[in-house]
Short mmCIF file of all heavy atoms in Angstrom, two decimals:
data_model
loop_
_atom_site.label_atom_id
_atom_site.label_comp_id
_atom_site.label_asym_id
_atom_site.label_seq_id
_atom_site.Cartn_x
_atom_site.Cartn_y
_atom_site.Cartn_z
N CYS A 46 72.77 17.20 106.59
CA CYS A 46 72.49 17.81 105.29
C CYS A 46 71.11 17.37 104.84
O CYS A 46 70.79 16.17 104.87
CB CYS A 46 73.54 17.36 104.27
SG CYS A 46 75.20 17.94 104.62
N LYS A 81 89.76 34.91 100.90
CA LYS A 81 88.43 34.29 100.91
C LYS A 81 88.36 33.29 102.05
O LYS A 81 89.28 32.53 102.28
CB LYS A 81 88.16 33.57 99.59
CG LYS A 81 86.76 32.94 99.50
CD LYS A 81 86.52 32.39 98.11
CE LYS A 81 85.11 31.86 97.93
NZ LYS A 81 84.08 32.89 97.91
N ASP A 83 85.39 30.51 103.46
CA ASP A 83 84.08 29.94 103.17
C ASP A 83 83.95 28.58 103.84
O ASP A 83 84.96 27.95 104.18
CB ASP A 83 83.87 29.81 101.66
CG ASP A 83 82.45 30.18 101.24
OD1 ASP A 83 81.51 29.93 102.03
OD2 ASP A 83 82.28 30.70 100.13
N THR A 84 82.73 28.15 104.02
CA THR A 84 82.44 26.87 104.64
C THR A 84 81.57 26.06 103.70
O THR A 84 80.65 26.59 103.08
CB THR A 84 81.70 27.08 105.99
OG1 THR A 84 82.50 27.92 106.82
CG2 THR A 84 81.45 25.77 106.69
N ALA A 85 81.90 24.77 103.59
CA ALA A 85 81.13 23.86 102.73
C ALA A 85 80.73 22.64 103.56
O ALA A 85 81.33 22.35 104.60
CB ALA A 85 81.97 23.45 101.52
N TYR A 86 79.73 21.91 103.08
CA TYR A 86 79.18 20.77 103.82
C TYR A 86 79.05 19.55 102.93
O TYR A 86 78.77 19.66 101.74
CB TYR A 86 77.79 21.13 104.36
CG TYR A 86 77.81 22.29 105.30
CD1 TYR A 86 77.73 23.59 104.82
CD2 TYR A 86 77.96 22.10 106.67
CE1 TYR A 86 77.78 24.68 105.68
CE2 TYR A 86 78.02 23.18 107.54
CZ TYR A 86 77.93 24.47 107.04
OH TYR A 86 77.99 25.53 107.89
N LEU A 87 79.26 18.40 103.55
CA LEU A 87 79.02 17.11 102.92
C LEU A 87 78.29 16.23 103.92
O LEU A 87 78.50 16.37 105.14
CB LEU A 87 80.34 16.41 102.57
CG LEU A 87 81.23 17.03 101.50
CD1 LEU A 87 82.56 16.32 101.46
CD2 LEU A 87 80.53 16.95 100.15
N ALA A 116 82.16 36.53 89.66
CA ALA A 116 80.93 36.47 88.86
C ALA A 116 79.80 37.25 89.51
O ALA A 116 78.89 37.72 88.83
CB ALA A 116 80.51 35.03 88.63
N THR A 117 79.85 37.41 90.84
CA THR A 117 78.75 38.10 91.53
C THR A 117 79.00 39.60 91.69
O THR A 117 78.07 40.39 91.59
CB THR A 117 78.50 37.48 92.92
OG1 THR A 117 79.72 37.45 93.65
CG2 THR A 117 77.95 36.08 92.79
N TRP A 126 85.61 30.57 93.59
CA TRP A 126 85.52 29.12 93.45
C TRP A 126 85.99 28.74 92.06
O TRP A 126 85.72 29.43 91.09
CB TRP A 126 84.07 28.65 93.64
CG TRP A 126 83.56 28.77 95.02
CD1 TRP A 126 82.71 29.74 95.50
CD2 TRP A 126 83.84 27.90 96.13
NE1 TRP A 126 82.45 29.52 96.83
CE2 TRP A 126 83.13 28.39 97.24
CE3 TRP A 126 84.61 26.76 96.28
CZ2 TRP A 126 83.17 27.78 98.48
CZ3 TRP A 126 84.66 26.14 97.52
CH2 TRP A 126 83.95 26.66 98.60
N GLY A 127 86.65 27.59 91.96
CA GLY A 127 87.06 27.04 90.67
C GLY A 127 85.90 26.30 90.04
O GLY A 127 84.73 26.68 90.20
N VAL A 129 84.88 23.16 90.67
CA VAL A 129 84.26 22.11 91.49
C VAL A 129 83.24 22.76 92.43
O VAL A 129 83.60 23.57 93.28
CB VAL A 129 85.32 21.34 92.32
CG1 VAL A 129 84.66 20.27 93.17
CG2 VAL A 129 86.37 20.72 91.40
N HIS A 130 81.98 22.42 92.22
CA HIS A 130 80.92 23.01 93.03
C HIS A 130 80.96 22.50 94.47
O HIS A 130 81.31 21.35 94.72
CB HIS A 130 79.55 22.73 92.41
CG HIS A 130 79.32 23.53 91.18
ND1 HIS A 130 79.76 23.13 89.94
CD2 HIS A 130 78.73 24.73 91.00
CE1 HIS A 130 79.44 24.04 89.04
NE2 HIS A 130 78.81 25.02 89.65
N HIS A 131 80.58 23.37 95.39
CA HIS A 131 80.49 23.04 96.82
C HIS A 131 79.12 23.46 97.33
O HIS A 131 78.54 24.42 96.83
CB HIS A 131 81.57 23.79 97.61
CG HIS A 131 82.94 23.21 97.45
ND1 HIS A 131 83.64 23.24 96.26
CD2 HIS A 131 83.74 22.59 98.34
CE1 HIS A 131 84.81 22.66 96.43
NE2 HIS A 131 84.90 22.26 97.68
N LYS A 132 78.65 22.78 98.35
CA LYS A 132 77.41 23.15 99.02
C LYS A 132 77.78 23.97 100.26
O LYS A 132 78.45 23.47 101.16
CB LYS A 132 76.60 21.91 99.42
CG LYS A 132 76.07 21.14 98.24
CD LYS A 132 75.09 21.98 97.46
CE LYS A 132 74.55 21.27 96.25
NZ LYS A 132 73.70 22.14 95.44
N THR A 133 77.36 25.22 100.29
CA THR A 133 77.73 26.12 101.38
C THR A 133 76.63 26.25 102.44
O THR A 133 76.74 27.10 103.32
CB THR A 133 78.11 27.50 100.82
OG1 THR A 133 77.03 28.00 100.02
CG2 THR A 133 79.38 27.41 99.98
N SER A 134 75.62 25.41 102.34
CA SER A 134 74.57 25.37 103.34
C SER A 134 74.08 23.92 103.48
O SER A 134 73.87 23.26 102.47
CB SER A 134 73.39 26.27 102.95
OG SER A 134 72.28 26.04 103.80
N PRO A 135 73.92 23.45 104.73
CA PRO A 135 73.41 22.09 104.89
C PRO A 135 71.92 21.97 104.56
O PRO A 135 71.42 20.87 104.35
CB PRO A 135 73.68 21.77 106.36
CG PRO A 135 73.74 23.09 107.04
CD PRO A 135 74.24 24.07 106.01
N SER A 136 71.23 23.12 104.49
CA SER A 136 69.80 23.06 104.17
C SER A 136 69.32 24.39 103.59
O SER A 136 69.32 25.40 104.27
CB SER A 136 68.98 22.72 105.42
OG SER A 136 69.17 23.69 106.41
N GLY A 137 68.95 24.35 102.34
CA GLY A 137 68.34 25.51 101.71
C GLY A 137 69.30 26.42 100.98
O GLY A 137 70.52 26.31 101.10
N GLY A 138 68.72 27.31 100.19
CA GLY A 138 69.49 28.28 99.44
C GLY A 138 69.96 27.73 98.11
O GLY A 138 69.91 26.52 97.86
N PRO A 139 70.45 28.62 97.25
CA PRO A 139 70.85 28.19 95.91
C PRO A 139 72.08 27.27 95.90
O PRO A 139 72.28 26.52 94.94
CB PRO A 139 71.15 29.51 95.18
CG PRO A 139 71.43 30.49 96.27
CD PRO A 139 70.61 30.05 97.44
N HIS A 140 72.90 27.31 96.94
CA HIS A 140 74.10 26.48 97.00
C HIS A 140 74.06 25.53 98.19
O HIS A 140 75.08 25.19 98.78
CB HIS A 140 75.35 27.36 97.06
CG HIS A 140 75.45 28.30 95.90
ND1 HIS A 140 75.70 27.88 94.63
CD2 HIS A 140 75.28 29.64 95.83
CE1 HIS A 140 75.70 28.92 93.81
NE2 HIS A 140 75.44 30.00 94.51
N GLY A 141 72.84 25.11 98.54
CA GLY A 141 72.69 24.23 99.69
C GLY A 141 72.00 22.92 99.34
O GLY A 141 71.54 22.71 98.22
N PHE A 142 71.97 22.05 100.33
CA PHE A 142 71.23 20.80 100.21
C PHE A 142 69.77 21.11 100.42
O PHE A 142 69.44 22.11 101.07
CB PHE A 142 71.72 19.79 101.26
CG PHE A 142 73.07 19.22 100.93
CD1 PHE A 142 74.22 19.74 101.50
CD2 PHE A 142 73.19 18.15 100.06
CE1 PHE A 142 75.47 19.22 101.19
CE2 PHE A 142 74.43 17.61 99.74
CZ PHE A 142 75.58 18.16 100.31
N PRO A 143 68.79 20.35 99.92
CA PRO A 143 68.96 19.07 99.23
C PRO A 143 69.32 19.26 97.76
O PRO A 143 68.90 20.22 97.12
CB PRO A 143 67.60 18.41 99.36
CG PRO A 143 66.63 19.56 99.39
CD PRO A 143 67.38 20.67 100.09
N ASP A 144 70.08 18.32 97.26
CA ASP A 144 70.43 18.24 95.85
C ASP A 144 70.79 16.78 95.59
O ASP A 144 71.90 16.35 95.86
CB ASP A 144 71.61 19.15 95.53
CG ASP A 144 72.01 19.12 94.06
OD1 ASP A 144 71.55 18.22 93.33
OD2 ASP A 144 72.80 19.98 93.65
N TYR A 147 74.06 16.09 93.65
CA TYR A 147 75.30 16.80 93.99
C TYR A 147 76.52 15.89 94.03
O TYR A 147 77.55 16.20 93.42
CB TYR A 147 75.17 17.54 95.32
CG TYR A 147 76.49 18.11 95.76
CD1 TYR A 147 77.08 19.15 95.04
CD2 TYR A 147 77.19 17.58 96.82
CE1 TYR A 147 78.32 19.65 95.40
CE2 TYR A 147 78.43 18.07 97.19
CZ TYR A 147 78.99 19.10 96.47
OH TYR A 147 80.21 19.58 96.81
#
Side-chain angles (χ1 to χ4, degrees):
C46 295
K81 182 174 185 70
D83 220 327
T84 303
Y86 299 87
L87 293 171
T117 53
W126 291 102
V129 179
H130 287 85
H131 284 68
K132 293 296 179 186
T133 55
S134 170
S136 60
H140 303 291
F142 286 97
D144 181 347
Y147 172 68

